[in-house]
Amino acid sequence: MDGDDGAGRAFIGSFTSAGGRGITVAAVDRETGALTVLGATDAVPDPSYLALGHGPGPDGRVLYAVSETEHGAAAALDITGEVPEPIGRIRPVEGDGPTHLALAGGHLLTANYGSGSVTALSVRADGSLGAATSVLRHEGSGPNADRQQAPHAHQVLPDPSGNWVLSVDLGTDSVRICALDAATGALRLHGETALRPGTGPRHLAFHPAGTHAYVLNELEPTVTVCVWDATTGILEPVGETSVLPEAATRDGDTVTYPSEVVVSHDGRFLWTANRGHDSISVLALDAAGAKASLVTTVGCGGHWPRDLALDPSGRRLYAANERSGDVSWFTLDPVTGVPRHAGSLGAPAASCVIFV
């Protein structure tokens, strides 16, 4: 887990509709990892997920946010000042309830949970957003009548090669692989990988070697290990591992909904955040990244961890605990990968954390 020194600033997304501040800016102590609030803005309603992109200005960075509302939107924000300021218009994504976003091919992509679609929006030279250039609608359903009656795109991200865009759909138990035309912003479906019915895939993370991907399932507390071929754009499931100890999976009183998966910079460890069990799972990866083994779980430092993030150094892990309204940070043991709780910051309705 080698890396550079800790980040100087963090951005915390939250649900304004549940009492959150919107986007909170925090200073990050380089020695301890502690967070201190610098300011906040509620210019974007329910900015549940954030991403950083390149743009003009002294630091060349632009912050992007989804607005996870019924008629979803996305926004670009200037972060050169103390508090993020919107750049240009907040743009509709032509989809409902966007939960995730990523940058690829000069476009901003959003995963729209409510409408089961992925949207591409153009990114202008000043970092602001243009109108939607394409909307790719998912099709299908799953066996869970309450959660899988229709498609629910939960995450979208480019693969490490930059040649493909992957979207994880909880409603259809599948991951779609798409090609993005950088010139036009058109999304084209290339293939679809079916996962075990009823697992409800939510997010995935790639191994740093780019040869494997790990799909975290929300409706069953497991990780599906997949082989990824960036040449052909094919994702192939090869194994599944529980993220909870056997005793916890037998406990009918504790229903667990895993939320986020993170891989260490050196590819030795994988961590997941588990809502309900309110824990962080530690899994060891073999040398090739082809097998994941559960090591242990530790408390998340709060209640309902919606997001999990590594700081740029790879030495600390942060959990955004939505229902307890805080962000907790952990020091990672470099030998075992086990997190040790080191502190918490109050952050009402916290939903994600990212670092500059």
Side-chain angles (χ1 to χ4, degrees), residues 51-244:
L52 278 167
H54 296 285
D59 62 5
R61 307 305 293 270
V62 175
L63 182 69
Y64 295 95
V66 293
S67 179
E68 191 177 334
T69 53
E70 182 181 357
H71 303 294
L77 300 104
D78 182 348
I79 59 171
T80 56
E82 291 186 3
V83 175
E85 296 284 348
I87 307 171
R89 295 168 51 191
I90 296 178
R91 294 284 185 174
V93 299
E94 299 182 14
D96 302 337
T99 56
H100 191 267
L101 78 172
L103 290 144
H107 291 77
L108 184 74
L109 308 172
T110 68
N112 311 315
Y113 182 86
S115 53
S117 60
V118 172
T119 301
L121 301 103
S122 60
V123 177
R124 295 170 170 171
D126 65 353
S128 66
L129 296 173
T133 56
S134 65
V135 179
L136 182 71
R137 303 192 183 280
H138 293 183
E139 296 180 356
S141 60
N144 186 314
D146 292 331
R147 299 292 306 279
Q148 296 183 309
Q149 75 285 3
H152 292 302
H154 214 303
Q155 184 197 35
V156 61
L157 76 167
D159 85 309
S161 76
N163 294 327
W164 307 100
V165 170
L166 285 76
S167 56
V168 183
D169 196 299
L170 184 149
T172 63
D173 292 315
S174 65
V175 178
R176 286 168 174 78
I177 299 93
C178 301
L180 173 67
D181 187 320
T184 65
L187 285 162
R188 175 181 58 81
L189 182 63
H190 170 73
E192 183 175 0
T193 297
L195 303 179
R196 184 165 62 83
T199 51
R202 178 183 173 99
H203 278 199
L204 71 76
F206 284 98
H207 189 276
T211 55
H212 291 82
Y214 311 95
V215 183
L216 181 64
N217 301 306
E218 177 174 332
L219 301 184
E220 291 192 15
T222 59
V223 165
T224 303
V225 179
C226 300
V227 173
W228 170 244
D229 188 329
T231 301
T232 60
I234 294 176
L235 185 73
E236 179 186 0
V238 293
E240 194 175 307
T241 302
S242 176
V243 300
L244 296 181

Side-chain angles (χ1 to χ4, degrees), residues 18 21 275 278 300-306 319-328 341 344-351:
R21 303 184 186 108
R275 297 168 299 175
D278 287 345
C300 68
H303 178 34
W304 212 251
R306 186 180 177 89
N321 299 311
E322 181 183 355
R323 293 186 180 175
S324 56
D326 51 68
V327 173
S328 295
H341 187 259
S344 295
L345 172 74
S351 56

Side-chain angles (χ1 to χ4, degrees), residues 13 19 30 48 75 86 104 107 126 131 160 171 183 187 198 241 274 279 287 289 294 320:
R30 295 179 185 275
S48 64
H107 291 77
D126 65 353
L187 285 162
T241 302
N274 311 308
S279 65
L294 180 63

Side-chain angles (χ1 to χ4, degrees), residues 7-51:
R9 280 191 300 169
F11 296 93
I12 302 166
S14 65
F15 289 97
T16 55
S17 59
R21 303 184 186 108
I23 300 171
T24 299
V25 187
V28 186
D29 187 292
R30 295 179 185 275
E31 297 301 320
T32 67
L35 301 177
T36 304
V37 173
L38 298 174
T41 176
D42 60 0
V44 181
D46 288 344
S48 64
Y49 209 86
L50 309 173

